[in-house]
Amino acid sequence: MDKKQVLSTLLRKTLMALTGLFLCFFLVIHLLGNLQLLMPPEQAKESFNSYSHLLSGNIFIKIISYVLYASILIHCLDALLITLSNRKTAGKYAVDKRGASSKWYSRNMGILGTLILIFLVFHFKDFWYQYKFGSLPKDESGHKDLYTIVIAAYQDWWYVLFYVLSMFALGYHLLHGFFSAARSLGVYHPKYVSWIRVFAIGYSYAITIGFAIIPIYIYLTQHVLWN
């Protein structure tokens, strides 16, 4: 591999790390907003719809949302380019021996990433698209009633299962992503490895469990009320 290819690979990995870290930050904010769904129904409805209305009407949030969309696209395209480049290089120069030392989720980031991408398509279609372009009913405060749409979506057990499995795929993706980003950005130093490991595991578990528990809670507590 020549210097130009090495530089190109380093730039792609750095871009992957930076977009990934931004998406990690967004996940924290998104989770904190969604945790309102765990409140008692009437309180959750008012709080969640007000929160959604605030986000949709704030110019700063709109700018951040455009950065988010760009980050998702760049992250996915960059991952595809890196994967294709790695396969080409491995096939040309060496036999891939990572199976003996790497974690299974590290070897299957492409599969995990694809599952997450499929989930995002459904997630954007069912919630983001409905809120932006659908004719949602209004709640008592005059805000679009996204809460009712979310609750209705989690009345089907298969949708809840799909959501939960997608969150576990996301958790493993994050776990590998943190270590990979640390290496790409040059901060995976022996002095900080233990701290990075603890933070990565803690963050990945918190995001996975935090998001997964929401549809499970809604299905278990409000499924009977809707049926």
Short mmCIF file of all heavy atoms in Angstrom, two decimals, residues 101-164:
data_model
loop_
_atom_site.label_atom_id
_atom_site.label_comp_id
_atom_site.label_asym_id
_atom_site.label_seq_id
_atom_site.Cartn_x
_atom_site.Cartn_y
_atom_site.Cartn_z
N SER A 101 -8.14 -13.77 17.46
CA SER A 101 -7.88 -12.82 18.54
C SER A 101 -8.97 -11.78 18.73
O SER A 101 -9.08 -11.21 19.82
CB SER A 101 -6.55 -12.10 18.29
OG SER A 101 -6.59 -11.42 17.05
N SER A 102 -9.79 -11.49 17.72
CA SER A 102 -10.78 -10.43 17.84
C SER A 102 -12.13 -10.95 18.29
O SER A 102 -12.43 -12.14 18.17
CB SER A 102 -10.93 -9.71 16.49
OG SER A 102 -11.38 -10.62 15.50
N LYS A 103 -12.95 -10.07 18.82
CA LYS A 103 -14.30 -10.41 19.24
C LYS A 103 -15.17 -10.66 18.00
O LYS A 103 -14.94 -10.09 16.95
CB LYS A 103 -14.89 -9.28 20.06
CG LYS A 103 -14.11 -8.93 21.33
CD LYS A 103 -14.22 -10.04 22.36
CE LYS A 103 -13.55 -9.64 23.67
NZ LYS A 103 -13.65 -10.69 24.69
N TRP A 104 -16.22 -11.47 18.19
CA TRP A 104 -17.08 -11.80 17.05
C TRP A 104 -17.76 -10.56 16.48
O TRP A 104 -17.94 -10.44 15.27
CB TRP A 104 -18.13 -12.83 17.46
CG TRP A 104 -19.18 -12.30 18.41
CD1 TRP A 104 -19.15 -12.36 19.77
CD2 TRP A 104 -20.39 -11.64 18.06
NE1 TRP A 104 -20.25 -11.75 20.30
CE2 TRP A 104 -21.04 -11.31 19.27
CE3 TRP A 104 -20.99 -11.28 16.85
CZ2 TRP A 104 -22.27 -10.64 19.30
CZ3 TRP A 104 -22.21 -10.61 16.88
CH2 TRP A 104 -22.83 -10.30 18.09
N TYR A 105 -18.11 -9.59 17.38
CA TYR A 105 -18.79 -8.40 16.87
C TYR A 105 -17.84 -7.48 16.11
O TYR A 105 -18.26 -6.72 15.25
CB TYR A 105 -19.49 -7.64 18.02
CG TYR A 105 -18.62 -7.31 19.21
CD1 TYR A 105 -17.80 -6.19 19.21
CD2 TYR A 105 -18.67 -8.08 20.35
CE1 TYR A 105 -17.01 -5.87 20.30
CE2 TYR A 105 -17.89 -7.78 21.46
CZ TYR A 105 -17.07 -6.68 21.44
OH TYR A 105 -16.30 -6.36 22.53
N SER A 106 -16.54 -7.58 16.42
CA SER A 106 -15.56 -6.80 15.66
C SER A 106 -15.42 -7.34 14.24
O SER A 106 -15.20 -6.58 13.30
CB SER A 106 -14.20 -6.83 16.36
OG SER A 106 -14.26 -6.23 17.63
N ARG A 107 -15.56 -8.66 14.11
CA ARG A 107 -15.44 -9.29 12.79
C ARG A 107 -16.72 -9.16 11.97
O ARG A 107 -16.71 -9.44 10.77
CB ARG A 107 -15.08 -10.78 12.94
CG ARG A 107 -13.79 -11.02 13.68
CD ARG A 107 -13.34 -12.47 13.54
NE ARG A 107 -14.36 -13.41 14.02
CZ ARG A 107 -14.47 -13.81 15.29
NH1 ARG A 107 -13.63 -13.34 16.21
NH2 ARG A 107 -15.40 -14.68 15.63
N ASN A 108 -17.81 -8.78 12.63
CA ASN A 108 -19.11 -8.72 11.94
C ASN A 108 -19.74 -7.33 12.02
O ASN A 108 -20.96 -7.19 12.08
CB ASN A 108 -20.07 -9.75 12.53
CG ASN A 108 -19.63 -11.17 12.26
OD1 ASN A 108 -19.80 -11.70 11.16
ND2 ASN A 108 -19.04 -11.80 13.27
N MET A 109 -18.89 -6.31 12.01
CA MET A 109 -19.41 -4.93 12.07
C MET A 109 -20.28 -4.60 10.85
O MET A 109 -21.21 -3.80 10.93
CB MET A 109 -18.25 -3.95 12.19
CG MET A 109 -17.64 -3.90 13.56
SD MET A 109 -18.77 -3.23 14.81
CE MET A 109 -18.63 -1.48 14.43
N GLY A 110 -19.96 -5.21 9.71
CA GLY A 110 -20.75 -4.98 8.51
C GLY A 110 -22.18 -5.46 8.68
O GLY A 110 -23.13 -4.77 8.31
N ILE A 111 -22.33 -6.65 9.27
CA ILE A 111 -23.67 -7.21 9.50
C ILE A 111 -24.42 -6.38 10.53
O ILE A 111 -25.60 -6.05 10.33
CB ILE A 111 -23.55 -8.67 9.98
CG1 ILE A 111 -22.94 -9.54 8.88
CG2 ILE A 111 -24.92 -9.21 10.38
CD1 ILE A 111 -22.68 -10.97 9.30
N LEU A 112 -23.75 -6.04 11.62
CA LEU A 112 -24.39 -5.22 12.65
C LEU A 112 -24.79 -3.86 12.10
O LEU A 112 -25.89 -3.36 12.37
CB LEU A 112 -23.44 -5.04 13.84
CG LEU A 112 -23.09 -6.30 14.64
CD1 LEU A 112 -22.06 -5.98 15.71
CD2 LEU A 112 -24.35 -6.87 15.29
N GLY A 113 -23.90 -3.26 11.31
CA GLY A 113 -24.20 -1.97 10.71
C GLY A 113 -25.38 -2.03 9.76
O GLY A 113 -26.21 -1.11 9.72
N THR A 114 -25.48 -3.13 9.01
CA THR A 114 -26.60 -3.31 8.09
C THR A 114 -27.92 -3.44 8.84
O THR A 114 -28.94 -2.86 8.45
CB THR A 114 -26.38 -4.55 7.20
OG1 THR A 114 -25.18 -4.40 6.46
CG2 THR A 114 -27.55 -4.74 6.24
N LEU A 115 -27.90 -4.20 9.95
CA LEU A 115 -29.11 -4.34 10.78
C LEU A 115 -29.55 -2.99 11.34
O LEU A 115 -30.74 -2.67 11.37
CB LEU A 115 -28.84 -5.33 11.92
CG LEU A 115 -28.67 -6.80 11.53
CD1 LEU A 115 -28.28 -7.62 12.75
CD2 LEU A 115 -29.95 -7.34 10.91
N ILE A 116 -28.58 -2.21 11.78
CA ILE A 116 -28.89 -0.88 12.33
C ILE A 116 -29.45 0.03 11.24
O ILE A 116 -30.39 0.80 11.47
CB ILE A 116 -27.63 -0.25 12.97
CG1 ILE A 116 -27.18 -1.10 14.16
CG2 ILE A 116 -27.91 1.18 13.41
CD1 ILE A 116 -25.81 -0.73 14.68
N LEU A 117 -28.89 -0.07 10.04
CA LEU A 117 -29.38 0.74 8.92
C LEU A 117 -30.81 0.37 8.56
O LEU A 117 -31.64 1.26 8.31
CB LEU A 117 -28.47 0.54 7.70
CG LEU A 117 -28.80 1.40 6.47
CD1 LEU A 117 -28.73 2.88 6.81
CD2 LEU A 117 -27.84 1.07 5.32
N ILE A 118 -31.13 -0.93 8.56
CA ILE A 118 -32.51 -1.36 8.30
C ILE A 118 -33.44 -0.81 9.37
O ILE A 118 -34.54 -0.33 9.09
CB ILE A 118 -32.58 -2.90 8.26
CG1 ILE A 118 -31.82 -3.43 7.04
CG2 ILE A 118 -34.04 -3.38 8.23
CD1 ILE A 118 -31.68 -4.94 7.02
N PHE A 119 -32.99 -0.88 10.62
CA PHE A 119 -33.78 -0.33 11.72
C PHE A 119 -34.03 1.17 11.53
O PHE A 119 -35.15 1.65 11.74
CB PHE A 119 -33.07 -0.57 13.05
CG PHE A 119 -33.63 0.25 14.18
CD1 PHE A 119 -34.80 -0.13 14.81
CD2 PHE A 119 -32.99 1.41 14.60
CE1 PHE A 119 -35.33 0.64 15.84
CE2 PHE A 119 -33.51 2.17 15.63
CZ PHE A 119 -34.69 1.79 16.26
N LEU A 120 -33.00 1.90 11.12
CA LEU A 120 -33.14 3.34 10.93
C LEU A 120 -34.16 3.68 9.85
O LEU A 120 -34.91 4.65 9.98
CB LEU A 120 -31.79 3.96 10.57
CG LEU A 120 -30.79 4.13 11.72
CD1 LEU A 120 -29.46 4.66 11.19
CD2 LEU A 120 -31.35 5.08 12.78
N VAL A 121 -34.19 2.86 8.79
CA VAL A 121 -35.18 3.08 7.73
C VAL A 121 -36.59 2.98 8.29
O VAL A 121 -37.44 3.85 8.05
CB VAL A 121 -34.98 2.06 6.58
CG1 VAL A 121 -36.14 2.16 5.58
CG2 VAL A 121 -33.65 2.31 5.87
N PHE A 122 -36.85 1.93 9.07
CA PHE A 122 -38.16 1.76 9.70
C PHE A 122 -38.43 2.87 10.71
O PHE A 122 -39.55 3.41 10.79
CB PHE A 122 -38.25 0.40 10.40
CG PHE A 122 -38.57 -0.73 9.49
CD1 PHE A 122 -37.55 -1.47 8.88
CD2 PHE A 122 -39.88 -1.07 9.21
CE1 PHE A 122 -37.84 -2.52 8.03
CE2 PHE A 122 -40.19 -2.12 8.35
CZ PHE A 122 -39.16 -2.84 7.76
N HIS A 123 -37.42 3.20 11.49
CA HIS A 123 -37.58 4.20 12.55
C HIS A 123 -37.91 5.59 11.97
O HIS A 123 -38.82 6.27 12.44
CB HIS A 123 -36.28 4.27 13.36
CG HIS A 123 -36.43 4.98 14.67
ND1 HIS A 123 -37.22 4.50 15.69
CD2 HIS A 123 -35.90 6.14 15.14
CE1 HIS A 123 -37.16 5.33 16.72
NE2 HIS A 123 -36.36 6.33 16.41
N PHE A 124 -37.18 5.98 10.93
CA PHE A 124 -37.45 7.26 10.28
C PHE A 124 -38.82 7.26 9.62
O PHE A 124 -39.54 8.26 9.67
CB PHE A 124 -36.35 7.57 9.25
CG PHE A 124 -35.17 8.28 9.81
CD1 PHE A 124 -34.14 7.58 10.42
CD2 PHE A 124 -35.07 9.66 9.75
CE1 PHE A 124 -33.05 8.24 10.96
CE2 PHE A 124 -33.98 10.33 10.27
CZ PHE A 124 -32.96 9.62 10.88
N LYS A 125 -39.16 6.15 8.99
CA LYS A 125 -40.45 6.07 8.30
C LYS A 125 -41.62 6.16 9.29
O LYS A 125 -42.58 6.89 9.06
CB LYS A 125 -40.56 4.76 7.53
CG LYS A 125 -41.91 4.55 6.83
CD LYS A 125 -41.98 3.20 6.16
CE LYS A 125 -42.09 2.05 7.15
NZ LYS A 125 -43.43 2.06 7.86
N ASP A 126 -41.53 5.43 10.41
CA ASP A 126 -42.64 5.35 11.34
C ASP A 126 -42.79 6.56 12.24
O ASP A 126 -43.91 6.86 12.69
CB ASP A 126 -42.49 4.09 12.22
CG ASP A 126 -42.63 2.81 11.41
OD1 ASP A 126 -43.26 2.87 10.34
OD2 ASP A 126 -42.11 1.77 11.84
N PHE A 127 -41.70 7.27 12.52
CA PHE A 127 -41.78 8.37 13.47
C PHE A 127 -41.38 9.72 12.85
O PHE A 127 -42.18 10.66 12.84
CB PHE A 127 -40.91 8.07 14.70
CG PHE A 127 -41.29 6.79 15.38
CD1 PHE A 127 -40.36 5.80 15.60
CD2 PHE A 127 -42.60 6.56 15.79
CE1 PHE A 127 -40.71 4.61 16.21
CE2 PHE A 127 -42.97 5.38 16.41
CZ PHE A 127 -42.01 4.40 16.61
N TRP A 128 -40.15 9.80 12.34
CA TRP A 128 -39.69 11.07 11.78
C TRP A 128 -40.54 11.51 10.60
O TRP A 128 -40.99 12.66 10.55
CB TRP A 128 -38.23 10.93 11.35
CG TRP A 128 -37.66 12.17 10.71
CD1 TRP A 128 -37.10 13.24 11.36
CD2 TRP A 128 -37.59 12.46 9.31
NE1 TRP A 128 -36.69 14.18 10.44
CE2 TRP A 128 -36.98 13.74 9.18
CE3 TRP A 128 -37.99 11.79 8.16
CZ2 TRP A 128 -36.75 14.33 7.94
CZ3 TRP A 128 -37.76 12.38 6.93
CH2 TRP A 128 -37.15 13.64 6.83
N TYR A 129 -40.78 10.62 9.65
CA TYR A 129 -41.57 10.97 8.47
C TYR A 129 -43.01 11.31 8.85
O TYR A 129 -43.59 12.28 8.33
CB TYR A 129 -41.55 9.83 7.46
CG TYR A 129 -42.30 10.15 6.18
CD1 TYR A 129 -41.67 10.84 5.14
CD2 TYR A 129 -43.64 9.78 6.01
CE1 TYR A 129 -42.35 11.15 3.97
CE2 TYR A 129 -44.32 10.09 4.86
CZ TYR A 129 -43.68 10.77 3.84
OH TYR A 129 -44.37 11.09 2.70
N GLN A 130 -43.56 10.53 9.77
CA GLN A 130 -44.94 10.79 10.20
C GLN A 130 -45.06 12.16 10.85
O GLN A 130 -46.03 12.89 10.63
CB GLN A 130 -45.39 9.71 11.19
CG GLN A 130 -45.65 8.36 10.56
CD GLN A 130 -46.85 8.36 9.62
OE1 GLN A 130 -47.80 9.10 9.81
NE2 GLN A 130 -46.78 7.56 8.58
N TYR A 131 -44.05 12.50 11.67
CA TYR A 131 -44.11 13.79 12.36
C TYR A 131 -43.92 14.95 11.39
O TYR A 131 -44.59 15.98 11.50
CB TYR A 131 -43.04 13.84 13.45
CG TYR A 131 -43.19 15.05 14.36
CD1 TYR A 131 -44.06 15.01 15.44
CD2 TYR A 131 -42.47 16.22 14.13
CE1 TYR A 131 -44.22 16.11 16.27
CE2 TYR A 131 -42.63 17.33 14.95
CZ TYR A 131 -43.50 17.26 16.03
OH TYR A 131 -43.66 18.35 16.84
N LYS A 132 -43.01 14.80 10.43
CA LYS A 132 -42.69 15.88 9.51
C LYS A 132 -43.74 16.04 8.42
O LYS A 132 -44.11 17.17 8.07
CB LYS A 132 -41.32 15.63 8.87
CG LYS A 132 -40.14 15.74 9.81
CD LYS A 132 -39.91 17.18 10.23
CE LYS A 132 -38.64 17.29 11.07
NZ LYS A 132 -38.37 18.69 11.48
N PHE A 133 -44.22 14.93 7.87
CA PHE A 133 -45.06 15.01 6.68
C PHE A 133 -46.43 14.36 6.82
O PHE A 133 -47.28 14.52 5.94
CB PHE A 133 -44.33 14.37 5.49
CG PHE A 133 -42.96 14.94 5.26
CD1 PHE A 133 -41.82 14.22 5.59
CD2 PHE A 133 -42.80 16.21 4.72
CE1 PHE A 133 -40.55 14.75 5.38
CE2 PHE A 133 -41.54 16.75 4.51
CZ PHE A 133 -40.41 16.01 4.84
N GLY A 134 -46.64 13.61 7.91
CA GLY A 134 -47.93 12.96 8.11
C GLY A 134 -48.95 13.92 8.70
O GLY A 134 -48.61 14.99 9.21
N SER A 135 -50.21 13.53 8.60
CA SER A 135 -51.28 14.37 9.17
C SER A 135 -51.63 13.85 10.56
O SER A 135 -52.62 13.13 10.76
CB SER A 135 -52.51 14.33 8.26
OG SER A 135 -52.90 13.00 8.01
N LEU A 136 -50.77 14.18 11.52
CA LEU A 136 -50.97 13.72 12.89
C LEU A 136 -52.08 14.52 13.57
O LEU A 136 -52.23 15.72 13.32
CB LEU A 136 -49.67 13.88 13.70
CG LEU A 136 -48.70 12.70 13.71
CD1 LEU A 136 -48.16 12.46 12.31
CD2 LEU A 136 -47.56 12.96 14.69
N PRO A 137 -52.82 13.86 14.45
CA PRO A 137 -53.81 14.59 15.25
C PRO A 137 -53.10 15.50 16.25
O PRO A 137 -51.91 15.33 16.52
CB PRO A 137 -54.59 13.47 15.95
CG PRO A 137 -53.60 12.34 16.04
CD PRO A 137 -52.80 12.42 14.76
N LYS A 138 -53.83 16.45 16.81
CA LYS A 138 -53.25 17.36 17.80
C LYS A 138 -53.67 16.93 19.20
O LYS A 138 -54.76 16.37 19.40
CB LYS A 138 -53.74 18.79 17.55
CG LYS A 138 -53.37 19.36 16.17
CD LYS A 138 -51.87 19.54 16.03
CE LYS A 138 -51.49 20.12 14.68
NZ LYS A 138 -51.96 21.50 14.48
N ASP A 139 -52.81 17.19 20.17
CA ASP A 139 -53.18 16.90 21.56
C ASP A 139 -53.91 18.08 22.17
O ASP A 139 -54.22 19.06 21.48
CB ASP A 139 -51.94 16.52 22.37
CG ASP A 139 -50.93 17.66 22.48
OD1 ASP A 139 -51.26 18.81 22.10
OD2 ASP A 139 -49.80 17.40 22.95
N GLU A 140 -54.14 18.01 23.47
CA GLU A 140 -54.90 19.07 24.16
C GLU A 140 -54.19 20.41 24.12
O GLU A 140 -54.83 21.47 24.22
CB GLU A 140 -55.16 18.65 25.62
CG GLU A 140 -56.07 17.45 25.79
CD GLU A 140 -55.36 16.14 25.53
OE1 GLU A 140 -54.12 16.16 25.30
OE2 GLU A 140 -56.03 15.09 25.53
N SER A 141 -52.87 20.40 23.96
CA SER A 141 -52.10 21.65 23.93
C SER A 141 -51.92 22.19 22.51
O SER A 141 -51.30 23.23 22.32
CB SER A 141 -50.72 21.43 24.56
OG SER A 141 -50.83 20.99 25.90
N GLY A 142 -52.46 21.48 21.53
CA GLY A 142 -52.34 21.93 20.15
C GLY A 142 -51.08 21.45 19.46
O GLY A 142 -50.80 21.85 18.33
N HIS A 143 -50.30 20.59 20.11
CA HIS A 143 -49.09 20.05 19.51
C HIS A 143 -49.41 18.77 18.75
O HIS A 143 -50.38 18.08 19.05
CB HIS A 143 -48.05 19.74 20.60
CG HIS A 143 -47.65 20.93 21.41
ND1 HIS A 143 -47.37 20.84 22.76
CD2 HIS A 143 -47.51 22.23 21.07
CE1 HIS A 143 -47.04 22.05 23.21
NE2 HIS A 143 -47.13 22.90 22.21
N LYS A 144 -48.58 18.44 17.76
CA LYS A 144 -48.74 17.19 17.05
C LYS A 144 -48.61 16.03 18.03
O LYS A 144 -47.68 16.00 18.83
CB LYS A 144 -47.69 17.05 15.94
CG LYS A 144 -47.91 17.99 14.76
CD LYS A 144 -46.89 17.72 13.66
CE LYS A 144 -47.14 18.61 12.46
NZ LYS A 144 -46.16 18.35 11.36
N ASP A 145 -49.53 15.09 17.95
CA ASP A 145 -49.58 14.01 18.94
C ASP A 145 -48.68 12.84 18.53
O ASP A 145 -49.15 11.75 18.18
CB ASP A 145 -51.03 13.54 19.10
CG ASP A 145 -51.21 12.65 20.32
OD1 ASP A 145 -50.22 12.44 21.06
OD2 ASP A 145 -52.33 12.15 20.53
N LEU A 146 -47.39 13.05 18.59
CA LEU A 146 -46.43 12.00 18.27
C LEU A 146 -46.48 10.89 19.31
O LEU A 146 -46.24 9.72 19.00
CB LEU A 146 -45.01 12.59 18.19
CG LEU A 146 -43.88 11.61 17.84
CD1 LEU A 146 -44.12 11.01 16.44
CD2 LEU A 146 -42.53 12.30 17.89
N TYR A 147 -46.81 11.24 20.53
CA TYR A 147 -46.88 10.26 21.62
C TYR A 147 -47.81 9.10 21.27
O TYR A 147 -47.45 7.93 21.43
CB TYR A 147 -47.35 10.94 22.90
CG TYR A 147 -47.60 9.98 24.05
CD1 TYR A 147 -46.54 9.51 24.83
CD2 TYR A 147 -48.89 9.53 24.34
CE1 TYR A 147 -46.77 8.63 25.87
CE2 TYR A 147 -49.12 8.64 25.38
CZ TYR A 147 -48.06 8.20 26.13
OH TYR A 147 -48.28 7.31 27.16
N THR A 148 -48.99 9.42 20.76
CA THR A 148 -49.96 8.38 20.42
C THR A 148 -49.44 7.47 19.31
O THR A 148 -49.65 6.26 19.32
CB THR A 148 -51.30 9.01 19.98
OG1 THR A 148 -51.82 9.78 21.07
CG2 THR A 148 -52.31 7.94 19.60
N ILE A 149 -48.71 8.07 18.34
CA ILE A 149 -48.11 7.28 17.26
C ILE A 149 -47.08 6.30 17.81
O ILE A 149 -47.02 5.13 17.41
CB ILE A 149 -47.45 8.21 16.22
CG1 ILE A 149 -48.48 9.16 15.61
CG2 ILE A 149 -46.75 7.39 15.13
CD1 ILE A 149 -49.59 8.48 14.87
N VAL A 150 -46.26 6.77 18.74
CA VAL A 150 -45.22 5.93 19.34
C VAL A 150 -45.85 4.79 20.13
O VAL A 150 -45.45 3.62 19.99
CB VAL A 150 -44.31 6.76 20.25
CG1 VAL A 150 -43.33 5.86 21.01
CG2 VAL A 150 -43.53 7.79 19.43
N ILE A 151 -46.85 5.11 20.94
CA ILE A 151 -47.51 4.09 21.76
C ILE A 151 -48.17 3.04 20.87
O ILE A 151 -48.09 1.83 21.13
CB ILE A 151 -48.55 4.73 22.70
CG1 ILE A 151 -47.87 5.71 23.66
CG2 ILE A 151 -49.29 3.65 23.49
CD1 ILE A 151 -46.81 5.10 24.53
N ALA A 152 -48.80 3.49 19.80
CA ALA A 152 -49.48 2.56 18.88
C ALA A 152 -48.48 1.63 18.21
O ALA A 152 -48.77 0.45 17.98
CB ALA A 152 -50.26 3.35 17.84
N ALA A 153 -47.29 2.14 17.89
CA ALA A 153 -46.28 1.33 17.21
C ALA A 153 -45.81 0.17 18.08
O ALA A 153 -45.49 -0.92 17.58
CB ALA A 153 -45.10 2.20 16.81
N TYR A 154 -45.79 0.39 19.40
CA TYR A 154 -45.28 -0.63 20.32
C TYR A 154 -46.37 -1.54 20.87
O TYR A 154 -46.21 -2.16 21.92
CB TYR A 154 -44.52 0.04 21.47
CG TYR A 154 -43.31 0.82 21.01
CD1 TYR A 154 -42.96 2.02 21.63
CD2 TYR A 154 -42.52 0.36 19.97
CE1 TYR A 154 -41.85 2.75 21.20
CE2 TYR A 154 -41.42 1.07 19.54
CZ TYR A 154 -41.09 2.26 20.16
OH TYR A 154 -40.00 2.97 19.73
N GLN A 155 -47.48 -1.64 20.16
CA GLN A 155 -48.53 -2.57 20.55
C GLN A 155 -48.34 -3.95 19.92
O GLN A 155 -48.98 -4.91 20.31
CB GLN A 155 -49.91 -2.02 20.15
CG GLN A 155 -50.27 -0.71 20.81
CD GLN A 155 -50.14 -0.76 22.32
OE1 GLN A 155 -50.76 -1.58 22.99
NE2 GLN A 155 -49.30 0.12 22.87
N ASP A 156 -47.45 -4.03 18.91
CA ASP A 156 -47.18 -5.31 18.24
C ASP A 156 -45.90 -5.92 18.79
O ASP A 156 -44.84 -5.28 18.78
CB ASP A 156 -47.03 -5.09 16.73
CG ASP A 156 -48.32 -4.61 16.08
OD1 ASP A 156 -49.38 -5.14 16.45
OD2 ASP A 156 -48.25 -3.71 15.24
N TRP A 157 -45.99 -7.16 19.25
CA TRP A 157 -44.85 -7.81 19.89
C TRP A 157 -43.66 -7.95 18.94
O TRP A 157 -42.51 -7.83 19.36
CB TRP A 157 -45.24 -9.18 20.44
CG TRP A 157 -45.59 -10.19 19.38
CD1 TRP A 157 -46.81 -10.47 18.88
CD2 TRP A 157 -44.66 -11.03 18.67
NE1 TRP A 157 -46.74 -11.43 17.90
CE2 TRP A 157 -45.42 -11.80 17.76
CE3 TRP A 157 -43.27 -11.21 18.72
CZ2 TRP A 157 -44.85 -12.72 16.90
CZ3 TRP A 157 -42.69 -12.13 17.86
CH2 TRP A 157 -43.47 -12.88 16.96
N TRP A 158 -43.95 -8.19 17.65
CA TRP A 158 -42.85 -8.38 16.69
C TRP A 158 -42.08 -7.09 16.48
O TRP A 158 -40.87 -7.13 16.27
CB TRP A 158 -43.39 -8.90 15.35
CG TRP A 158 -44.31 -7.95 14.64
CD1 TRP A 158 -45.67 -7.90 14.71
CD2 TRP A 158 -43.91 -6.89 13.75
NE1 TRP A 158 -46.16 -6.87 13.92
CE2 TRP A 158 -45.10 -6.25 13.32
CE3 TRP A 158 -42.68 -6.44 13.27
CZ2 TRP A 158 -45.09 -5.16 12.45
CZ3 TRP A 158 -42.67 -5.36 12.40
CH2 TRP A 158 -43.86 -4.73 12.00
N TYR A 159 -42.79 -5.94 16.56
CA TYR A 159 -42.12 -4.64 16.40
C TYR A 159 -41.24 -4.36 17.61
O TYR A 159 -40.12 -3.86 17.48
CB TYR A 159 -43.15 -3.54 16.21
CG TYR A 159 -42.59 -2.24 15.69
CD1 TYR A 159 -42.56 -1.98 14.32
CD2 TYR A 159 -42.06 -1.28 16.55
CE1 TYR A 159 -42.04 -0.79 13.83
CE2 TYR A 159 -41.53 -0.10 16.06
CZ TYR A 159 -41.52 0.14 14.71
OH TYR A 159 -40.99 1.31 14.22
N VAL A 160 -41.75 -4.70 18.79
CA VAL A 160 -40.98 -4.53 20.02
C VAL A 160 -39.72 -5.41 19.97
O VAL A 160 -38.63 -4.97 20.32
CB VAL A 160 -41.83 -4.88 21.26
CG1 VAL A 160 -40.98 -4.88 22.52
CG2 VAL A 160 -42.99 -3.89 21.40
N LEU A 161 -39.90 -6.66 19.53
CA LEU A 161 -38.76 -7.58 19.43
C LEU A 161 -37.73 -7.07 18.43
O LEU A 161 -36.52 -7.11 18.69
CB LEU A 161 -39.25 -8.97 19.01
CG LEU A 161 -38.17 -10.05 18.86
CD1 LEU A 161 -37.45 -10.28 20.18
CD2 LEU A 161 -38.79 -11.35 18.35
N PHE A 162 -38.20 -6.59 17.28
CA PHE A 162 -37.32 -6.03 16.27
C PHE A 162 -36.54 -4.83 16.83
O PHE A 162 -35.33 -4.71 16.61
CB PHE A 162 -38.15 -5.59 15.06
CG PHE A 162 -37.40 -4.78 14.05
CD1 PHE A 162 -36.33 -5.32 13.35
CD2 PHE A 162 -37.77 -3.46 13.78
CE1 PHE A 162 -35.64 -4.56 12.40
CE2 PHE A 162 -37.08 -2.70 12.84
CZ PHE A 162 -36.01 -3.25 12.16
N TYR A 163 -37.21 -3.98 17.58
CA TYR A 163 -36.58 -2.80 18.18
C TYR A 163 -35.50 -3.23 19.18
O TYR A 163 -34.37 -2.72 19.15
CB TYR A 163 -37.65 -1.95 18.88
CG TYR A 163 -37.18 -0.58 19.31
CD1 TYR A 163 -37.56 0.56 18.60
CD2 TYR A 163 -36.38 -0.42 20.43
CE1 TYR A 163 -37.14 1.82 18.99
CE2 TYR A 163 -35.95 0.84 20.83
CZ TYR A 163 -36.34 1.96 20.11
OH TYR A 163 -35.91 3.20 20.51
N VAL A 164 -35.84 -4.19 20.04
CA VAL A 164 -34.90 -4.62 21.08
C VAL A 164 -33.67 -5.28 20.46
O VAL A 164 -32.53 -5.00 20.86
CB VAL A 164 -35.59 -5.59 22.06
CG1 VAL A 164 -34.57 -6.20 23.02
CG2 VAL A 164 -36.67 -4.85 22.86
#
